[in-house]
Amino acid sequence: MFIFQWLNDQLLRMQWLSDLVTNLVQNVFGLNTQDRLGGSIQFFIYDVIKIFILLSVLIFIISYIQSFFPPERTRKILGGLKGITANILGALLGTITPFCSCSSIPLFIGFTSAGLPIGVTFSFLISSPLVDLASVLLLASIFNWKIAFAYVLVGLVLAVIGGTIIGKANLEDNVEPFVYNNKIVEVAQEELTIKDRLVFAKDQVIEIVKRVWLYILIGVAVGAIIHNWIPEDIISAVLGQDKWYSVLIATLVGIPMYADIFGTLPIAEALVSKGAGLGTVLAFMMAVTALSLPSLIMLKRVVKTKLLAIFFSIVVIGILIIGYGFNAFSYLLL
């Protein structure tokens, strides 16, 4: 147990990095990390470096694994399954595709045009931005393993239930006709060498970091401000877990925003440290990543209003239930 705790502190939480940054701020910058300015700078430098290190390593590993499952092979695997099993696999597929909500929509179009049931593709569409393997370790590095696994579990359950409801509702005619007419050409998949897979993984790291770096910097900056400048009683008064309206407010605030889960984690860390309810913070993260306004606008181009409204309602209701549930039982996780 001691060894596991040491590995968790040094590899995930990177306590060594926190100590180095603290020494940098105090001995080089001449600032006190207990003060607002020094604490903000320490929070910003430490979290930015930690997130980029973890993100790069995790995306490299995940992308290497993903190289064995190109879209065509994935489509064939899912195409042979039906019912709840297909929805579960669709949701699990979303966990190994580190895409934001907007980036997931082209794959959604591809899977739908290839003949997969829309319920399965919506399970994928919900889980892909909401849950991924990298988020498990990043959540564990900020909170703990119980919270990380619980978040992933409820995210997958929401994706499976949401996709199943949409599939049972027979809403295929609510997908724009061009999606079905966009036929995919079968192309033989050449076997990649180890070098090819390593290059693919490296390129994926570069591509994803280029896409999310700004959101990470903004998220960490907001987190530093919340952590060091906003009084705890203000956060607790608005977002405390004892406030019935906190989850609703967090969800509504998160929907118009657009950020990757990696950009919302530092904000979540700061809010929880200031007294916000765990479920409230997770609801905010889910709303930002799964229901961002840009992704809804893009989705409206490929589905009709009825299907979009059903998808939106299912995810919002699911997020609210998850948020209030985590607030009620957070004492079991913290």
Side-chain angles (χ1 to χ4, degrees), residues 34-47:
Q34 300 303 313
D35 295 337
R36 286 181 174 179
L37 180 59
S40 298
I41 293 174
Q42 196 275 345
F43 184 101
F44 183 83
I45 297 175
Y46 164 64
D47 262 41

Side-chain angles (χ1 to χ4, degrees), residues 302-320:
V302 297
V303 302
K304 297 178 181 178
T305 303
K306 179 181 177 180
L307 179 51
L308 181 67
I310 291 174
F311 162 76
F312 180 83
S313 300
I314 290 172
V315 177
V316 167
I317 292 171
I319 289 174
L320 292 175

Side-chain angles (χ1 to χ4, degrees), residues 36-319:
R36 286 181 174 179
L37 180 59
S40 298
I41 293 174
Q42 196 275 345
F43 184 101
F44 183 83
I45 297 175
Y46 164 64
D47 262 41
V48 166
I49 296 175
K50 180 183 74 171
I51 290 175
F52 275 117
I53 290 175
L54 286 175
L55 180 63
S56 299
V57 172
L58 294 170
I59 295 301
F60 186 90
I61 295 172
I62 293 167
S63 297
Y64 186 85
I65 296 171
Q66 188 185 354
S67 69
F68 291 91
F69 299 94
E72 179 61 23
R73 181 178 296 175
T74 301
R75 184 189 68 79
K76 289 181 178 178
I77 293 172
L78 291 176
L81 300 171
K82 296 183 182 299
I84 191 71
T85 303
N87 287 101
I88 292 172
L89 277 180
L92 289 173
L93 174 63
T95 67
I96 60 172
T97 52
F99 300 135
C100 63
S101 51
C102 290
S103 301
S104 303
I105 291 176
L107 273 179
F108 165 81
I109 295 173
F111 289 151
T112 304
S113 63
L116 292 182
I118 63 168
V120 176
T121 56
F122 267 97
S123 287
F124 167 82
L125 185 64
I126 294 171
S127 72
S128 184
L130 201 61
V131 181
D132 61 64
L133 298 179
S135 67
V136 179
L137 293 183
L138 286 170
L139 277 166
S141 74
I142 290 176
F143 299 114
N144 59 49
W145 282 102
K146 290 190 291 185
I147 292 175
F149 284 125
Y151 174 85
V152 171
L153 178 61
V154 297
L156 288 174
V157 169
L158 174 57
V160 172
I161 292 176
T164 301
I165 292 174
I166 291 174
K168 295 291 186 182
N170 298 318
L171 296 167
E172 285 78 6
D173 59 343
N174 280 268
V175 177
E176 294 293 346
F178 81 87
V179 175
Y180 294 119
N181 296 330
N182 183 30
K183 298 302 180 183
I184 294 180
V185 177
E186 298 272 346
V187 178
Q189 297 289 338
E190 62 175 295
E191 191 63 33
L192 299 178
T193 65
I194 293 178
K195 181 180 179 181
D196 292 333
R197 299 187 192 282
L198 292 173
V199 171
F200 170 77
K202 181 202 70 174
D203 291 342
Q204 285 290 93
V205 171
I206 294 173
E207 179 185 345
I208 292 173
V209 169
K210 282 182 177 179
R211 193 176 70 226
V212 305
W213 70 269
L214 181 59
Y215 298 116
I216 292 175
L217 294 183
I218 293 173
V220 175
V222 172
I225 292 171
I226 293 172
H227 191 273
N228 294 281
W229 295 86
I230 299 180
E232 185 174 324
D233 54 348
I234 294 179
I235 300 293
S236 298
V238 178
L239 298 177
Q241 67 181 44
D242 59 328
K243 304 298 187 296
W244 68 266
Y245 47 80
S246 64
V247 174
L248 182 60
I249 290 176
T251 303
L252 293 177
V253 169
I255 290 173
M257 301 176 65
Y258 177 62
D260 197 278
I261 188 173
F262 309 114
T264 61
L265 281 169
I267 300 175
E269 177 185 14
L271 286 173
V272 169
S273 71
K274 284 291 186 175
L278 176 62
T280 303
V281 170
L282 294 182
F284 169 76
M285 288 174 54
M286 287 182 163
V288 171
T289 54
L291 291 174
S292 67
L293 189 58
S295 70
L296 293 175
I297 293 172
M298 288 182 64
L299 188 59
K300 179 62 180 68
R301 297 178 64 87
V302 297
V303 302
K304 297 178 181 178
T305 303
K306 179 181 177 180
L307 179 51
L308 181 67
I310 291 174
F311 162 76
F312 180 83
S313 300
I314 290 172
V315 177
V316 167
I317 292 171
I319 289 174

